[in-house]
Amino acid sequence: MDSFQFYAFNLLANPDARKAAELYHSIFGFPILMANESHAELEIHTGTRLIFSRPKKLCPVEPGTLTLLCKDFFLEGLSEFQIESKATETYWSFLDPWNNRIWLYISQELSLTKVQK
């Protein structure tokens, strides 16, 4: 499974993601990488992030969300998943058969093979 690596834990933060980041920073000491009202990221280990997001139309976030860093990604390999949204060229959102959300983050440094459907 060289094409995927774990990237982040995603949690809700409503109404202000900055407050969630500050709380987790003060309790656990995780460095805050960025924080604004709708989105905040902390580094919990090198390369692993804790992300707090406020749900938005193009960024639906809820409990049961997994984010994976991706390379050499083939759309047809995810036929069991429902494509829910494509927020940008670098983010894809899928729902698995149990309605868990999977975000695939395509790194600019990694190659992406797009397959036409």
Side-chain angles (χ1 to χ4, degrees):
M1 204 31 86
D2 294 336
S3 295
F4 297 94
Q5 82 183 51
F6 185 77
Y7 181 69
F9 297 98
N10 298 69
L11 301 172
L12 285 173
N14 209 10
D16 192 339
R18 290 176 295 209
K19 291 183 181 186
E22 291 166 4
L23 176 65
Y24 275 66
H25 171 72
S26 69
I27 294 171
F28 301 111
F30 301 145
I32 298 173
L33 302 175
M34 64 86 59
N36 60 46
E37 189 175 333
S38 63
H39 186 89
E41 298 186 14
L42 296 91
E43 186 171 52
I44 58 175
H45 297 289
T46 302
T48 305
R49 296 176 184 216
L50 176 59
I51 298 174
F52 291 97
S53 294
R54 183 174 66 195
K56 297 176 288 200
K57 184 177 181 180
L58 289 178
C59 187
V61 178
E62 60 272 320
T65 299
L66 176 65
T67 302
L68 298 171
L69 191 63
C70 175
K71 69 176 184 177
D72 299 327
F73 160 59
F74 292 87
L75 287 177
E76 65 190 19
L78 295 168
S79 61
E80 295 293 319
F81 289 42
Q82 172 190 344
I83 297 175
E84 168 122 301
S85 67
K86 179 182 169 190
T88 70
E89 287 296 318
T90 58
Y91 289 94
W92 289 76
S93 175
F94 296 85
L95 293 177
D96 73 9
W98 306 276
N99 289 320
N100 293 304
R101 183 170 310 283
I102 309 297
W103 279 101
L104 296 180
Y105 169 63
I106 295 89
S107 172
Q108 297 299 315
E109 298 87 45
L110 301 175
S111 64
L112 170 66
T113 305
K114 293 183 180 177
V115 176
Q116 300 296 324
K117 285 192 155 191

